[in-house]
Amino acid sequence: MTKIITVANQKGGVGKTTTSVNLAAGLAVSEVNTLLIDMDPQANATIGCGIEYQSADQTIYNVLVDSLDINEHIYSTEIPFLEVVPSSPQLVGAEIEMVSMISRESILKKAIKHLEKEYKYIIIDCPPSLGLLTINSLTAAQSVLIPIQCEYYAMEGLGQLLNTIRLVQRNLNRDLQIEGVLITMYDSRIRLSREVTEQVRSHFKEKVYKTIIRRNVRLGESPSFGKPIILYDASSAGAQDYMNLVGEILHNDDQTTR
């Protein structure tokens, strides 16, 4: 059975796309068939997987707006078990074009149902907003992973995100759960990082992953080379942290299915 995880936080700069790319890549190097869907018009997840959106003729925009077959919009990557449905700046106008469509909140969910290849995991990278693209991503998913950065006002806006999740649960996707809360950009030398971690753990309890993503220069460099961290520098702290996250998710899912 396919598990669909949406990575969402309407606040920018929290490590959302970094998490989407490196979680998907980490699952793939674990020889798990994985599809990454880039729902962000900035197309950073697309670029981070080595795909130039300028040369991608077919993107998620065509699937959502033109109702084209999602199977014809899947691109291979350097990692054998990882494939990507790319985004493009065209997606900026998609929300306006989708407004008049029937069941506009469920377009992505319907598209995914027609996938011919079976994936163990589908990871969806959302834009930093709570618009129609994010609503589609939440409606299509079984769970949502929320990255939170170790900085001032880390919890700011989370109430709005959690309220949106509740609305989606009530009206569009009763099965949607919080997959987990991931602490990112952690620096043990800074007191604020420790304080934010304590605050997040106090609020979300067992939903917070044991894995913490540390600040790491190599992790920040890897997108500019079009590579997930596991390909760019497998020995870096960033690669180790994301592989630990992959291990934690696979373990939790294995425990759930037993």
Side-chain angles (χ1 to χ4, degrees):
M1 182 178 172
T2 302
K3 182 168 186 180
I4 305 169
I5 302 174
T6 286
V7 182
N9 190 331
Q10 81 275 20
K11 191 174 180 183
V14 299
K16 179 182 56 58
T17 296
T18 299
T19 296
S20 298
V21 169
N22 291 298
L23 171 58
L27 289 165
V29 298
S30 302
E31 298 189 349
V32 175
N33 267 341
T34 305
L35 178 67
L36 174 62
I37 300 177
D38 189 353
M39 289 285 282
D40 189 344
Q42 296 176 85
N44 288 332
T46 301
I47 296 165
C49 289
I51 300 168
E52 295 183 8
Y53 65 80
Q54 298 94 331
S55 61
D57 298 326
Q58 306 292 342
T59 69
I60 193 64
Y61 170 85
N62 305 103
V63 175
L64 298 174
V65 176
D66 301 326
S67 302
L68 297 185
D69 185 355
I70 194 169
N71 293 287
E72 297 173 6
H73 299 69
I74 296 171
Y75 288 69
S76 300
T77 69
E78 282 187 71
I79 302 174
F81 289 88
L82 176 62
E83 295 181 321
V84 177
V85 178
S87 180
S88 80
Q90 272 186 302
L91 205 56
V92 169
E95 291 189 342
I96 297 171
E97 296 178 73
M98 292 163 68
V99 163
S100 60
M101 293 182 179
I102 297 171
S103 301
R104 61 193 178 194
E105 301 91 352
S106 305
I107 296 171
L108 180 62
K109 182 177 182 178
K110 290 177 182 175
I112 288 173
K113 280 185 178 179
H114 297 292
L115 282 168
E116 292 169 3
K117 183 175 180 179
E118 186 161 338
Y119 297 95
K120 180 75 173 176
Y121 286 90
I122 297 175
I123 308 298
I124 305 173
D125 184 41
C126 290
S129 70
L130 293 176
L132 199 47
L133 294 175
T134 296
I135 297 297
N136 261 268
S137 302
L138 293 172
T139 302
Q142 284 139 3
S143 61
V144 54
L145 190 158
I146 306 170
I148 298 178
Q149 84 286 20
C150 288
E151 293 178 0
Y152 284 111
Y153 309 120
M155 305 282 281
E156 185 182 6
L158 272 183
Q160 191 179 359
L161 172 61
L162 295 174
N163 187 53
T164 299
I165 291 170
R166 281 191 291 270
L167 287 171
V168 170
Q169 287 170 328
R170 192 179 307 144
N171 300 299
L172 298 164
N173 183 2
R174 291 181 183 177
D175 298 326
L176 182 66
Q177 302 291 328
I178 293 180
E179 176 73 21
V181 176
L182 179 66
I183 295 166
T184 64
M185 305 179 192
Y186 180 85
D187 189 336
S188 60
R189 299 167 298 178
I190 300 173
R191 188 176 68 179
L192 177 63
S193 285
R194 299 192 296 272
E195 290 174 351
V196 169
T197 300
E198 289 173 12
Q199 185 183 15
V200 171
R201 291 197 186 281
S202 173
H203 186 81
F204 289 101
K205 312 291 185 193
E206 72 282 352
K207 284 292 182 182
V208 183
Y209 289 110
K210 295 182 180 70
T211 301
I212 291 176
I213 308 302
R214 293 166 285 178
R215 279 197 179 276
N216 179 244
V217 173
R218 304 295 276 174
L219 190 59
E221 291 173 349
S222 61
S224 62
F225 290 87
K227 292 179 182 291
I229 188 62
I230 198 70
L231 289 185
Y232 182 65
D233 188 349
S235 64
S236 67
Q240 293 166 20
D241 290 344
Y242 274 109
M243 288 311 297
N244 287 340
L245 175 64
V246 167
E248 193 171 343
I249 288 174
L250 290 173
H251 174 74
N252 291 344
D253 289 344
D254 183 54
Q255 294 295 108
T256 303
T257 54
R258 284 186 178 182

